[in-house]
Amino acid sequence: MDSVLRQLAEVLESRKSGDPAASYVSGLYDRGIDAILKKVGEEATETVIAAKDGEKDKIIYETADLWFHTMVMLAYCGLGPDDVLKELERRFGLSGLEEKASRGE
């Protein structure tokens, strides 16, 4: 499953040098982090609304959009899905309370 994330990460990386007029992702990169973060926020809101409505197809669709735009943000920042997966792996087996305590919150 995570191979799809890696493949998408490769495509997103290749779009960094693409023509902003010819590629949606290249256009986001060209407009910068604020445009990317705006899309992440919009997609997060749409995901929340879909979950609130309880329609599974909409939840899946909007979550896919959120993940996609989050991956664009990661790529813009020089990160990728493996960085996030490593952090999730680090947390695996920790209770949420233990993990939060380890951050000093």
Side-chain angles (χ1 to χ4, degrees), residues 32-95:
I33 192 67
D34 287 342
I36 295 167
L37 294 177
K38 181 178 178 186
K39 283 305 296 180
V40 171
E42 288 171 8
E43 299 304 341
T45 300
E46 290 172 4
T47 301
V48 169
I49 292 167
K52 197 79 164 125
D53 291 344
E55 293 181 41
K56 291 182 180 186
D57 288 345
K58 282 177 114 177
I59 294 168
I60 292 167
Y61 183 88
E62 295 302 344
T63 300
D65 279 352
L66 176 58
W67 286 15
F68 176 84
H69 287 90
T70 300
M71 287 188 60
V72 171
M73 176 201 63
L74 288 170
Y76 185 89
C77 294
L79 300 166
D82 285 336
D83 298 299
V84 177
L85 292 172
K86 286 176 192 171
E87 175 60 15
L88 289 172
E89 185 176 24
R90 182 192 71 77
R91 295 180 187 187
F92 194 81
L94 289 177
S95 77

